[in-house]
Amino acid sequence: MAKFLTEAQMKAECSRCEYCEDKPCQEACPVHCSPMDFIKAIKLQNPSDYKRSASIIMSHNPLGGLCGAVCPDNLCMKGCVRESFDCAINIPDLQAAIVQKAKDLGVMPGFLNANPNGKKVAIIGAGPAGLGAASVLVQKGYEVEIFERDEKAGGMCHLIPDHRLDKAVLRTDIDFILSLGRIKINYNQKIESPDELLKKNFNAVIVAVGLDQPIYSDIPGKDQAYDWMDFLKNSKDISIKDKRVAVIGGGAIGVDVAVTAKNEGATLVDIIYRRN
């Protein structure tokens, strides 16, 4: 199970922040959240500080706990000025710990619901993209219904191994999004075409179904291999104990597959990667 930074570790990371006026860490963040500001807010580590810090994070990113847990180190950390003379502040882990601490203390921020604008939008897919779209729309006054083909929201996040993402973080982030306004999720609903939703008097439809078809290299014997989705979904049922496993691909997914294979009892895991 994933572990969060302790309060002592959080304090140590916060003490390293230079509070840069130009905020290069914010410029490097895809959602333009300011690590400098949420680090400064948490300095004294009182419950009110955690609330203020979490509000900075969640106002920019309603999946702030999730992103803190799984964001790579080549975004905000690459923008950190300390990268050039010792090592960057561990911003993602710090963010994840702040949000989790606010949840544990019961001080997660609440945001005022927007005045309804009388329009209704349907979203196909309750993965991160669909949930993110819903959070933006309700804050602009729209009513939102999400149609999800599975029995739970979160999409591909459920394939991130537990050692990297505690699924309770995902669930509580989804609860936060649902608190933002009029959002309804319809589960076990497979939508064939946006047209069928437009005929139900939705003003617009957003398609956020993700990419659920693995990309294969055109190599001989590929039919003898597991695709990564099948393996991560069913790793408990795929017998690899005491076997040697080869993983083709060395990105984040490849590493997730490799670590999962090792944790499931593989004697040796080889990652075969095209880059150097």
Side-chain angles (χ1 to χ4, degrees):
M1 193 62 69
K3 295 182 179 180
F4 298 98
L5 298 180
T6 65
E7 289 192 2
Q9 290 171 325
M10 292 169 65
K11 188 174 183 179
E13 289 297 314
C14 288
S15 69
R16 299 175 59 235
C17 184
E18 300 291 339
Y19 304 122
C20 305
E21 185 176 357
D22 55 352
K23 302 180 185 179
C25 51
Q26 181 178 19
E27 293 302 315
C29 175
V31 296
H32 210 60
C33 183
S34 171
M36 186 277 276
D37 285 309
F38 71 66
I39 288 172
K40 193 172 184 179
I42 199 62
K43 195 169 183 180
L44 297 180
Q45 294 184 300
N46 294 317
S48 59
D49 300 323
Y50 283 106
K51 183 175 184 177
R52 184 166 60 253
S53 185
S55 69
I56 294 170
I57 295 168
M58 304 304 283
S59 64
H60 285 83
N61 182 0
L63 290 168
L66 166 67
C67 287
V70 301
C71 266
D73 60 4
N74 61 355
L75 298 172
C76 56
M77 287 181 68
K78 194 171 183 179
C80 180
V81 296
R82 296 200 69 109
E83 175 80 6
S84 62
F85 61 91
D86 52 7
C87 62
I89 295 169
N90 191 345
I91 297 170
D93 280 0
L94 188 55
Q95 175 176 317
I98 289 169
V99 174
Q100 187 60 41
K101 189 69 174 179
K103 291 173 181 176
D104 292 342
L105 292 171
V107 296
M108 279 294 286
F111 296 107
L112 295 176
N113 291 348
N115 292 326
N117 64 15
K119 295 182 179 180
K120 192 173 181 180
V121 176
I123 298 176
I124 304 174
L131 293 168
S135 72
V136 171
L137 288 167
V138 294
Q139 292 178 81
K140 294 180 179 292
Y142 293 90
E143 182 180 352
V144 177
E145 277 198 47
I146 304 175
F147 295 84
E148 169 57 45
R149 69 179 181 179
D150 292 329
E151 58 187 20
K152 55 188 175 183
M156 290 294 181
C157 293
H158 290 286
L159 298 187
I160 301 175
D162 289 344
H163 69 264
R164 278 215 300 134
L165 176 63
D166 185 336
K167 299 309 181 292
V169 172
L170 173 62
R171 290 193 297 272
T172 50
D173 272 8
I174 293 172
D175 289 342
F176 176 80
I177 289 175
L178 295 177
S179 76
L180 295 175
R182 296 183 299 167
I183 302 175
K184 177 184 178 183
I185 303 179
N186 303 290
Y187 295 104
N188 298 307
Q189 298 286 318
K190 188 173 182 179
I191 305 300
E192 300 295 340
S193 168
D195 290 336
E196 65 182 272
L197 296 175
L198 290 172
K199 292 176 182 177
K200 295 181 179 179
N201 296 321
F202 286 99
N203 296 97
V205 178
I206 293 176
V207 180
V209 295
L211 179 64
D212 61 356
Q213 295 298 319
I215 298 172
Y216 273 101
S217 295
D218 189 20
I219 55 177
K222 63 183 180 181
D223 56 321
Q224 302 297 314
Y226 290 102
D227 69 64
W228 68 270
M229 276 188 262
D230 188 24
F231 179 74
L232 290 178
K233 281 181 182 177
N234 306 297
S235 62
K236 300 291 184 184
D237 301 320
I238 297 174
S239 179
I240 56 172
K241 185 175 175 59
D242 299 326
K243 295 180 180 179
R244 185 176 181 180
V245 175
V247 179
I248 302 175
I253 292 172
V255 174
D256 280 350
V257 169
V259 174
T260 300
K262 187 62 180 175
N263 289 342
E264 292 298 326
T267 54
L268 180 64
V269 180
D270 293 278
I271 296 178
I272 302 168
Y273 194 41
R274 64 187 174 88
R275 295 177 181 166
N276 59 4

